[in-house]
Amino acid sequence: AAAVGDNGIGVLGVAPRAKIMSVRIFSGEEQSSGGAEAIVYAAESGADVINNSWGLRAVPGGSALDDAVDTALVLGSIVVFAGDNGDFGLTPTPWWRHPDAISVSMARPPFGAFPFSASDVDIAAPGRDVLSLGGGTGMNGPTIGSNYVVGSGTSMAARHVAGAAALLLSVLPDLTPSEVKWHLETSAVQSGRAGWEGLPWNPMSGWGLLDLTQAFDPLAV
């Protein structure tokens, strides 16, 4: 999302001048309450964009996550969620949805959702064989040296979208969370999916593949 560039080291983030607030969610057993508390904490601490590259196998009905995202949106934070990876090849289903958050599936060049990418999403972004920080443990791919890892999944895709939202806000700081979401969705490139040809949205790729070259254009009507 925000790796510094022009230094000949590692990778370049989508928003290389963004500031990162690292928030620990889980300590031991994963529970949605930890994620909800983290979202509220980040929003109350002034986060402009909150990236959620994590998920749970089940989220109880009436989850505190919904309330947490509502709070973050009221405070002006854009909330991005990685979609479910569908158990790497099994029937993909979104692990959690909020209508005003940005739900992200992963795509691989030249286009197309990867087989274990989520369904019922808002937008797709690169998520196949992405070089990122995180040496020491592999994320569906090999480690590179001691500081980098090649990862695949919706987590990698969500970070592209979070960086894009930060970059958009750096140029248009008065945009609301819903306007940022609308900018990204209406500027996405929709190549279609089998059975969804010619339609503006499909459950695997949402409104299409993230395209920052168009995201700064005036909002479509």
Side-chain angles (χ1 to χ4, degrees):
V4 174
D6 294 328
N7 58 4
I9 302 173
V11 295
L12 172 65
V14 179
R17 295 186 179 180
K19 296 179 180 179
I20 292 293
M21 177 192 303
S22 181
V23 181
R24 182 175 181 176
I25 298 177
F26 302 123
S27 57
E29 184 178 354
E30 294 186 357
Q31 296 180 358
S32 60
S33 59
E37 292 172 3
I39 290 171
V40 172
Y41 172 85
E44 291 180 341
S45 299
D48 294 304
V49 183
I50 302 174
N51 178 66
N52 298 274
S53 296
W54 56 276
L56 300 168
R57 279 289 145 242
V59 177
S63 169
L65 281 172
D66 288 310
D67 293 337
V69 173
D70 287 338
T71 298
L73 293 168
V74 167
L75 292 174
S77 299
I78 294 100
V79 183
V80 178
F81 263 90
D84 196 324
N85 286 322
D87 289 331
F88 295 87
L90 301 180
T91 302
T93 55
W95 76 270
W96 177 82
R97 287 282 290 143
H98 187 288
D100 298 315
I102 304 176
S103 179
V104 186
S105 68
M106 63 165 286
R108 59 178 175 180
F111 187 79
F114 199 60
F116 59 85
S117 199
S119 60
D120 274 349
V121 297
D122 298 309
I123 196 168
R128 174 64 173 170
D129 293 335
V130 178
L131 183 64
S132 183
L133 290 171
T137 59
M139 289 179 57
N140 317 320
T143 56
I144 307 296
S146 59
N147 296 317
Y148 300 93
V149 62
V150 176
S152 296
T154 57
S155 288
M156 311 306 289
R159 294 161 198 171
H160 280 86
V161 174
L167 199 62
L168 193 58
L169 283 178
S170 73
V171 178
L172 302 169
D174 294 330
L175 291 179
T176 66
S178 62
E179 288 173 335
V180 169
K181 183 178 181 179
W182 192 233
H183 266 281
L184 297 178
E185 291 176 348
T186 58
S187 62
V189 178
Q190 183 58 269
S191 295
R193 298 282 296 173
W196 298 82
E197 294 86 353
L199 297 177
W201 181 90
N202 67 71
M204 294 294 288
S205 304
W207 297 98
L209 182 65
L210 176 71
D211 184 0
L212 268 176
T213 64
Q214 307 296 324
F216 299 92
D217 293 346
L219 285 174
V221 177

